[in-house]
Amino acid sequence: MGKYRLIFFESLIIFFTFSQVYCINEIFNKIIQCAKKFNFLNFNKTEQYNNNADAREISERFFKNLSSYKNASSSGSNTNDYAIATNCFDDLIIFPANSIFYCCDVKELFNKLESNRTFDFILMDPPWWNKYIRRKNLKNVAEGYKMMYNHELKELPIKSFLCNDGLLAIWCTNSSSHVNDVINILFPNWGIEYCATWYWMKVTKSGEPVCNFSKPPGKQPYERIIFGSRSGRTQKYRQPEEKKVIISVPSAIHSHKPPLIEVLASYLPTHPACLELFARYLLPNWTSCGNQVMCLQNMDLFTQESTSLEPS
């Protein structure tokens, strides 16, 4: 059976609950000290000196050849219980086990899905509008991406595809306007009730924040995951608790978020039907949609953990 591992993530993930957002820095330091005590932070001085030069070089080279993956309308699935590798877009692409993908604009997806199809969990990573990305798009089209305004997100028919006891998670920047719009505009329009906010703390292999903490609205070494659910959910499954922290080493590829399915397992059914919108990679047993959904499935971004390959 072919088995592959994405080479850009360190998988150490730690939870911690706190009472106020301003405590993230203090609690983070306590967690890191504990991690160092038990030798969870394995790195060497050469890696620290090189600052992951190999990964950054691969990432830079990959983005230069990214155009063939963008806006290439297609869809498909791997119905096998194992991953397969096949030629697609003139590259060798990895398709995880039991994965379904729609390479299209998210606004088009809901016309492609069956009208009665619903999901236990929907994850969204919207291309939030911001000035930095706008400038980057103008400077370098290959590395840029199309942003969406919040009023466009509001029109997505999320309510129709989230089951009655379903859970929704949306990655959000630290922009107060985006956070407020998610909770006070998007969620109510989708028939969603706010549950909780978690924080993804991004660190280096040596356990240092990827940037300094700063006063809002300055740049922070963390991003938010905002949870919401249908009103009937609380009677059947656990709700995410307020203000948890996830700590991990981020990918060398910009805007590549860590998979959440394992840390959310206790909040979902045993075999949940999961949908990711604005996806940039595929996951086993998930349906994924986005106009860059194939971006991170290139074989060059994986290491092979077994000697056999399953033919497509």
mmCIF file of all heavy atoms in Angstrom, residues 13-33:
data_model
loop_
_atom_site.group_PDB
_atom_site.id
_atom_site.type_symbol
_atom_site.label_atom_id
_atom_site.label_comp_id
_atom_site.label_asym_id
_atom_site.label_seq_id
_atom_site.Cartn_x
_atom_site.Cartn_y
_atom_site.Cartn_z
ATOM 1 N N ILE A 13 1.302 18.699 18.639
ATOM 2 C CA ILE A 13 0.176 19.591 18.892
ATOM 3 C C ILE A 13 -0.177 19.499 20.366
ATOM 4 O O ILE A 13 -0.320 18.417 20.916
ATOM 5 C CB ILE A 13 -1.045 19.219 18.034
ATOM 6 C CG1 ILE A 13 -0.704 19.414 16.547
ATOM 7 C CG2 ILE A 13 -2.249 20.061 18.403
ATOM 8 C CD1 ILE A 13 -1.827 19.036 15.615
ATOM 9 N N ILE A 14 -0.304 20.639 21.032
ATOM 10 C CA ILE A 14 -0.585 20.679 22.460
ATOM 11 C C ILE A 14 -1.794 21.569 22.706
ATOM 12 O O ILE A 14 -1.937 22.623 22.102
ATOM 13 C CB ILE A 14 0.620 21.246 23.246
ATOM 14 C CG1 ILE A 14 1.888 20.433 22.930
ATOM 15 C CG2 ILE A 14 0.347 21.238 24.738
ATOM 16 C CD1 ILE A 14 3.140 21.000 23.528
ATOM 17 N N PHE A 15 -2.676 21.136 23.602
ATOM 18 C CA PHE A 15 -3.827 21.934 23.995
ATOM 19 C C PHE A 15 -3.559 22.626 25.325
ATOM 20 O O PHE A 15 -2.866 22.105 26.183
ATOM 21 C CB PHE A 15 -5.055 21.042 24.203
ATOM 22 C CG PHE A 15 -5.789 20.721 22.942
ATOM 23 C CD1 PHE A 15 -6.153 19.417 22.669
ATOM 24 C CD2 PHE A 15 -6.133 21.711 22.047
ATOM 25 C CE1 PHE A 15 -6.854 19.104 21.530
ATOM 26 C CE2 PHE A 15 -6.834 21.409 20.899
ATOM 27 C CZ PHE A 15 -7.195 20.107 20.646
ATOM 28 N N PHE A 16 -4.150 23.788 25.510
ATOM 29 C CA PHE A 16 -4.148 24.427 26.816
ATOM 30 C C PHE A 16 -5.328 25.378 26.872
ATOM 31 O O PHE A 16 -5.645 26.034 25.896
ATOM 32 C CB PHE A 16 -2.838 25.190 27.069
ATOM 33 C CG PHE A 16 -2.511 25.337 28.522
ATOM 34 C CD1 PHE A 16 -1.670 24.435 29.147
ATOM 35 C CD2 PHE A 16 -3.060 26.357 29.263
ATOM 36 C CE1 PHE A 16 -1.374 24.563 30.493
ATOM 37 C CE2 PHE A 16 -2.764 26.489 30.610
ATOM 38 C CZ PHE A 16 -1.922 25.593 31.224
ATOM 39 N N THR A 17 -6.008 25.438 28.009
ATOM 40 C CA THR A 17 -7.153 26.313 28.171
ATOM 41 C C THR A 17 -6.758 27.519 29.009
ATOM 42 O O THR A 17 -6.021 27.397 29.970
ATOM 43 C CB THR A 17 -8.305 25.564 28.869
ATOM 44 O OG1 THR A 17 -8.627 24.414 28.090
ATOM 45 C CG2 THR A 17 -9.533 26.440 28.975
ATOM 46 N N PHE A 18 -7.240 28.699 28.647
ATOM 47 C CA PHE A 18 -6.927 29.896 29.407
ATOM 48 C C PHE A 18 -8.147 30.799 29.439
ATOM 49 O O PHE A 18 -9.088 30.626 28.687
ATOM 50 C CB PHE A 18 -5.725 30.628 28.810
ATOM 51 C CG PHE A 18 -5.942 31.094 27.396
ATOM 52 C CD1 PHE A 18 -6.265 32.405 27.132
ATOM 53 C CD2 PHE A 18 -5.830 30.202 26.350
ATOM 54 C CE1 PHE A 18 -6.473 32.828 25.834
ATOM 55 C CE2 PHE A 18 -6.036 30.620 25.056
ATOM 56 C CZ PHE A 18 -6.354 31.933 24.795
ATOM 57 N N SER A 19 -8.132 31.801 30.328
ATOM 58 C CA SER A 19 -9.321 32.604 30.561
ATOM 59 C C SER A 19 -9.355 33.896 29.766
ATOM 60 O O SER A 19 -10.407 34.403 29.466
ATOM 61 C CB SER A 19 -9.449 32.922 32.054
ATOM 62 O OG SER A 19 -8.294 33.613 32.500
ATOM 63 N N GLN A 20 -8.207 34.436 29.402
ATOM 64 C CA GLN A 20 -8.162 35.697 28.680
ATOM 65 C C GLN A 20 -7.155 35.595 27.539
ATOM 66 O O GLN A 20 -6.105 34.971 27.666
ATOM 67 C CB GLN A 20 -7.756 36.846 29.612
ATOM 68 C CG GLN A 20 -8.710 37.096 30.766
ATOM 69 C CD GLN A 20 -10.044 37.655 30.300
ATOM 70 O OE1 GLN A 20 -10.128 38.254 29.241
ATOM 71 N NE2 GLN A 20 -11.082 37.448 31.096
ATOM 72 N N VAL A 21 -7.485 36.245 26.417
ATOM 73 C CA VAL A 21 -6.617 36.182 25.247
ATOM 74 C C VAL A 21 -5.233 36.745 25.553
ATOM 75 O O VAL A 21 -4.219 36.231 25.074
ATOM 76 C CB VAL A 21 -7.256 36.951 24.069
ATOM 77 C CG1 VAL A 21 -6.300 37.023 22.889
ATOM 78 C CG2 VAL A 21 -8.557 36.294 23.645
ATOM 79 N N TYR A 22 -5.177 37.772 26.384
ATOM 80 C CA TYR A 22 -3.884 38.402 26.661
ATOM 81 C C TYR A 22 -2.944 37.483 27.435
ATOM 82 O O TYR A 22 -1.759 37.777 27.603
ATOM 83 C CB TYR A 22 -4.071 39.725 27.407
ATOM 84 C CG TYR A 22 -4.693 39.615 28.779
ATOM 85 C CD1 TYR A 22 -3.941 39.208 29.878
ATOM 86 C CD2 TYR A 22 -6.023 39.958 28.984
ATOM 87 C CE1 TYR A 22 -4.507 39.118 31.133
ATOM 88 C CE2 TYR A 22 -6.598 39.873 30.239
ATOM 89 C CZ TYR A 22 -5.840 39.458 31.310
ATOM 90 O OH TYR A 22 -6.409 39.371 32.556
ATOM 91 N N CYS A 23 -3.445 36.340 27.899
ATOM 92 C CA CYS A 23 -2.605 35.383 28.630
ATOM 93 C C CYS A 23 -1.868 34.419 27.702
ATOM 94 O O CYS A 23 -1.095 33.581 28.173
ATOM 95 C CB CYS A 23 -3.455 34.569 29.602
ATOM 96 S SG CYS A 23 -4.146 35.518 30.958
ATOM 97 N N ILE A 24 -2.106 34.492 26.393
ATOM 98 C CA ILE A 24 -1.492 33.531 25.473
ATOM 99 C C ILE A 24 0.022 33.484 25.643
ATOM 100 O O ILE A 24 0.620 32.408 25.715
ATOM 101 C CB ILE A 24 -1.838 33.876 24.008
ATOM 102 C CG1 ILE A 24 -3.329 33.671 23.755
ATOM 103 C CG2 ILE A 24 -1.044 33.003 23.045
ATOM 104 C CD1 ILE A 24 -3.754 34.030 22.355
ATOM 105 N N ASN A 25 0.640 34.643 25.719
ATOM 106 C CA ASN A 25 2.096 34.697 25.821
ATOM 107 C C ASN A 25 2.590 33.980 27.071
ATOM 108 O O ASN A 25 3.493 33.130 27.014
ATOM 109 C CB ASN A 25 2.558 36.159 25.834
ATOM 110 C CG ASN A 25 4.057 36.291 25.634
ATOM 111 O OD1 ASN A 25 4.775 35.299 25.599
ATOM 112 N ND2 ASN A 25 4.532 37.510 25.512
ATOM 113 N N GLU A 26 1.998 34.290 28.206
ATOM 114 C CA GLU A 26 2.423 33.684 29.471
ATOM 115 C C GLU A 26 2.210 32.175 29.460
ATOM 116 O O GLU A 26 3.088 31.404 29.858
ATOM 117 C CB GLU A 26 1.649 34.316 30.628
ATOM 118 C CG GLU A 26 2.010 33.737 31.995
ATOM 119 C CD GLU A 26 1.197 34.367 33.116
ATOM 120 O OE1 GLU A 26 0.462 35.344 32.835
ATOM 121 O OE2 GLU A 26 1.292 33.881 34.249
ATOM 122 N N ILE A 27 1.052 31.745 28.998
ATOM 123 C CA ILE A 27 0.747 30.315 28.986
ATOM 124 C C ILE A 27 1.615 29.589 27.968
ATOM 125 O O ILE A 27 2.083 28.472 28.215
ATOM 126 C CB ILE A 27 -0.748 30.097 28.694
ATOM 127 C CG1 ILE A 27 -1.566 30.642 29.861
ATOM 128 C CG2 ILE A 27 -1.053 28.632 28.460
ATOM 129 C CD1 ILE A 27 -3.046 30.585 29.659
ATOM 130 N N PHE A 28 1.850 30.233 26.828
ATOM 131 C CA PHE A 28 2.730 29.643 25.826
ATOM 132 C C PHE A 28 4.105 29.351 26.422
ATOM 133 O O PHE A 28 4.666 28.268 26.235
ATOM 134 C CB PHE A 28 2.860 30.587 24.630
ATOM 135 C CG PHE A 28 4.046 30.293 23.758
ATOM 136 C CD1 PHE A 28 4.060 29.179 22.940
ATOM 137 C CD2 PHE A 28 5.158 31.124 23.778
ATOM 138 C CE1 PHE A 28 5.163 28.895 22.148
ATOM 139 C CE2 PHE A 28 6.259 30.848 22.996
ATOM 140 C CZ PHE A 28 6.262 29.735 22.176
ATOM 141 N N ASN A 29 4.653 30.302 27.164
ATOM 142 C CA ASN A 29 5.972 30.101 27.773
ATOM 143 C C ASN A 29 5.974 28.918 28.736
ATOM 144 O O ASN A 29 6.935 28.143 28.793
ATOM 145 C CB ASN A 29 6.410 31.376 28.498
ATOM 146 C CG ASN A 29 6.783 32.486 27.541
ATOM 147 O OD1 ASN A 29 7.255 32.224 26.436
ATOM 148 N ND2 ASN A 29 6.560 33.733 27.944
ATOM 149 N N LYS A 30 4.890 28.753 29.488
ATOM 150 C CA LYS A 30 4.800 27.626 30.418
ATOM 151 C C LYS A 30 4.767 26.298 29.666
ATOM 152 O O LYS A 30 5.406 25.322 30.068
ATOM 153 C CB LYS A 30 3.552 27.772 31.291
ATOM 154 C CG LYS A 30 3.616 28.928 32.279
ATOM 155 C CD LYS A 30 2.339 29.003 33.104
ATOM 156 C CE LYS A 30 2.395 30.160 34.104
ATOM 157 N NZ LYS A 30 1.145 30.263 34.896
ATOM 158 N N ILE A 31 4.004 26.270 28.570
ATOM 159 C CA ILE A 31 3.905 25.036 27.787
ATOM 160 C C ILE A 31 5.255 24.676 27.178
ATOM 161 O O ILE A 31 5.681 23.518 27.200
ATOM 162 C CB ILE A 31 2.846 25.188 26.678
ATOM 163 C CG1 ILE A 31 1.458 25.376 27.295
ATOM 164 C CG2 ILE A 31 2.843 23.968 25.762
ATOM 165 C CD1 ILE A 31 0.384 25.685 26.282
ATOM 166 N N ILE A 32 5.943 25.672 26.623
ATOM 167 C CA ILE A 32 7.229 25.419 25.979
ATOM 168 C C ILE A 32 8.258 24.933 26.994
ATOM 169 O O ILE A 32 9.051 24.023 26.713
ATOM 170 C CB ILE A 32 7.728 26.682 25.251
ATOM 171 C CG1 ILE A 32 6.839 26.966 24.043
ATOM 172 C CG2 ILE A 32 9.176 26.523 24.811
ATOM 173 C CD1 ILE A 32 6.800 25.840 23.023
ATOM 174 N N GLN A 33 8.252 25.511 28.182
ATOM 175 C CA GLN A 33 9.174 25.047 29.219
ATOM 176 C C GLN A 33 8.909 23.587 29.566
ATOM 177 O O GLN A 33 9.830 22.793 29.757
ATOM 178 C CB GLN A 33 9.045 25.927 30.467
ATOM 179 C CG GLN A 33 9.585 27.335 30.297
ATOM 180 C CD GLN A 33 11.046 27.355 29.885
ATOM 181 O OE1 GLN A 33 11.868 26.600 30.419
ATOM 182 N NE2 GLN A 33 11.380 28.200 28.921
#
